[in-house]
Amino acid sequence: MAKIGIFGGTFNPIHNGHLIVGRDVRRGFSLDIVCLIPAAVPPHKESRDVAKAEYRMEMTRLAVEGDPDFSVSDVELKRSGPSYTIDTIGHFESFLPNDSELFFIVGMDAFLDIETWKSYKDLFQEVPFIVMSRPGSASCGDGRKWKLPCEMISSRVSAKYRFDKEKNAFFHPEKKPVYLFDVTPVDISSTMIRKRIGKGQDIDGLVPDKVKEYIKQKGLYV
Ligand code: ATP
Ligand code: MG
């Protein structure tokens, strides 16, 4: 039985944070592979700030070339129009063998924003979530570490989700579980990288070297 993690993002650009936390999740959940899926961005939003899809795709490929932890899928870029996670999950379900298990991997910041996603409630019907901690995003302080996701899930998804402290996950009588997972805290974001490049600062150690060279070669984010 194959266990596959679906890890979507704008990847504008992909950075070492994505790779470190993706690897943490693969190990923690014994996944066979984590599949990175760069998102389509409406053409009118491509700009100095959002690199063309083909560039984001190529950077993602370069970042994980020869790395057995990851694969890359262009399914969202090939589809016409905007990409919705619910359709991507459906795509994977349509061709994977029946005994494969899919997991949807998402950072805490993106998870807390999920009510803005199309058909987000259906997602909880389809696939278990793995929600990764992220520095600066909700999961610290106040003794109730997971207060925000708790509130979000019960008010926006279903009040029938119950938190299991031992498993650090929400379980529901009909829907899929939501696992909260502490990953290595990595204070890197694509925004930070774009800003540094814009200011002429180096991005050493923030992205794989091949990605750094590609950004330079294509003159991205300057
Ligand atoms: P931006 O600053 O442009 O939003 P980003 O660094 O958040 O970029 P995304 O492509 O938006 O990168 O993120 C894709 C997914 O990876 C999201 O689910 C996000 O929460 C998660 N993610 C990104 N960086 C980290 C990190 N350092 N730790 C944990 N999760 C992360
Ligand atoms: Mg982001």
Side-chain angles (χ1 to χ4, degrees):
M1 184 177 75
K3 290 171 84 180
I4 299 162
I6 304 285
F7 187 4
T10 315
F11 299 131
N12 181 43
I14 189 156
H15 54 68
N16 288 341
H18 296 127
L19 301 176
I20 291 166
V21 300
R23 224 169 259 133
D24 285 349
V25 171
R26 180 167 112 80
R27 304 247 157 85
F29 286 79
S30 308
L31 304 181
D32 293 292
I33 200 131
V34 169
C35 184
L36 301 169
I37 309 182
V41 170
H44 65 273
K45 284 199 171 169
E46 284 177 355
S47 63
R48 174 183 167 277
D49 285 332
V50 187
K52 272 195 212 166
E54 74 176 272
Y55 295 156
R56 291 183 290 109
M57 183 73 205
E58 187 55 23
M59 290 189 281
T60 308
R61 279 208 190 102
L62 288 170
V64 300
E65 218 173 31
D67 185 333
D69 289 336
F70 296 100
S71 64
V72 183
S73 165
D74 60 2
V75 55
E76 295 199 354
L77 302 181
K78 275 203 184 139
R79 207 181 288 141
S80 62
S83 18
Y84 298 115
T85 302
I86 190 79
D87 301 330
T88 300
I89 299 292
H91 163 83
F92 278 87
E93 283 171 345
S94 73
F95 74 83
L96 287 170
N98 280 339
D99 63 351
S100 327
E101 240 187 306
L102 286 180
F103 293 83
F104 181 60
I105 304 170
V106 63
M108 182 61 80
D109 59 311
F111 183 70
L112 291 176
D113 208 29
I114 207 158
E115 64 186 280
T116 63
W117 301 15
K118 182 194 162 206
S119 314
Y120 76 94
K121 284 191 182 168
D122 298 345
L123 271 178
F124 293 83
Q125 210 75 51
E126 287 300 319
V127 70
F129 277 66
I130 300 173
V131 182
M132 309 177 289
S133 54
R134 184 169 190 181
S137 192
S139 54
C140 18
D142 98 337
R144 272 190 72 201
K145 202 178 165 197
W146 304 111
K147 183 164 170 264
L148 278 180
C150 280
E151 287 171 358
M152 198 283 283
I153 288 176
S154 63
S155 68
R156 302 286 176 219
V157 187
S158 164
K160 285 201 244 165
Y161 268 105
R162 290 284 169 267
F163 189 63
D164 179 328
K165 260 190 184 166
E166 235 157 73
K167 300 208 167 92
N168 219 28
F170 296 88
F171 293 99
H172 190 282
E174 290 105 40
K175 296 177 192 294
K176 304 287 185 185
V178 177
Y179 300 96
L180 302 178
F181 190 58
D182 276 314
V183 291
T184 311
V186 193
D187 196 5
I188 303 178
S189 70
S190 304
T191 303
M192 164 203 286
I193 291 163
R194 295 192 302 273
K195 278 192 183 152
R196 290 189 64 89
I197 296 170
K199 288 194 264 181
Q201 295 168 335
D202 73 76
I203 53 166
D204 297 348
L206 302 178
V207 300
D209 284 344
K210 281 188 208 161
V211 173
K212 189 179 85 172
E213 279 156 30
Y214 188 86
I215 290 174
K216 204 171 160 195
Q217 183 199 329
K218 297 285 178 197
L220 306 181
Y221 313 121
V222 288

